[in-house]
Amino acid sequence: PLSVSVVGQQVVFRVRGPSWVEVTDAKGQVLMRRNLTQGDETGVSGALPLSVVVGRADVTDVDVKGKPFSLAAIAKDNVARFEVK
């Protein structure tokens, strides 16, 4: 179950080990740039498209608009980059 703080967020991150995320909105504003530790759960919303970079894709679970989003297919050197439109 999601914690109340992330319900309704466009992108939600849950980590099973140390990771980091960066999310930039349509205007190029950095909405989130954080190092996350095991067990952290955080979410972000902003003006679409959101540009997302996830370090340590292997330990990071992502939900986009409430649905699980697989990083495995897009991760390169364990870093995943994608857009939320």
Side-chain angles (χ1 to χ4, degrees):
L2 293 175
S3 68
V4 174
S5 63
V6 299
V7 169
Q9 297 284 10
Q10 289 165 322
V11 189
V12 174
F13 306 94
R14 277 183 304 283
V15 296
R16 300 183 305 275
S19 184
W20 56 268
V21 296
E22 183 175 292
V23 182
T24 311
D25 73 6
K27 301 182 194 101
Q29 269 189 303
V30 175
L31 302 178
M32 177 187 297
R33 183 181 283 147
R34 293 185 52 181
N35 287 311
L36 302 172
T37 55
Q38 185 172 347
D40 278 357
E41 179 179 76
T42 187
V44 65
S45 290
L48 299 177
L50 298 177
S51 197
V52 182
V53 184
V54 176
R56 298 291 314 277
D58 60 336
V59 296
T60 307
D61 294 320
V62 178
D63 287 355
V64 174
K65 297 180 182 172
K67 295 189 170 87
F69 182 82
S70 173
L71 299 179
I74 59 169
K76 203 174 194 176
D77 297 326
N78 210 14
V79 174
R81 291 178 162 78
F82 62 95
E83 274 198 347
V84 177
K85 297 179 170 138

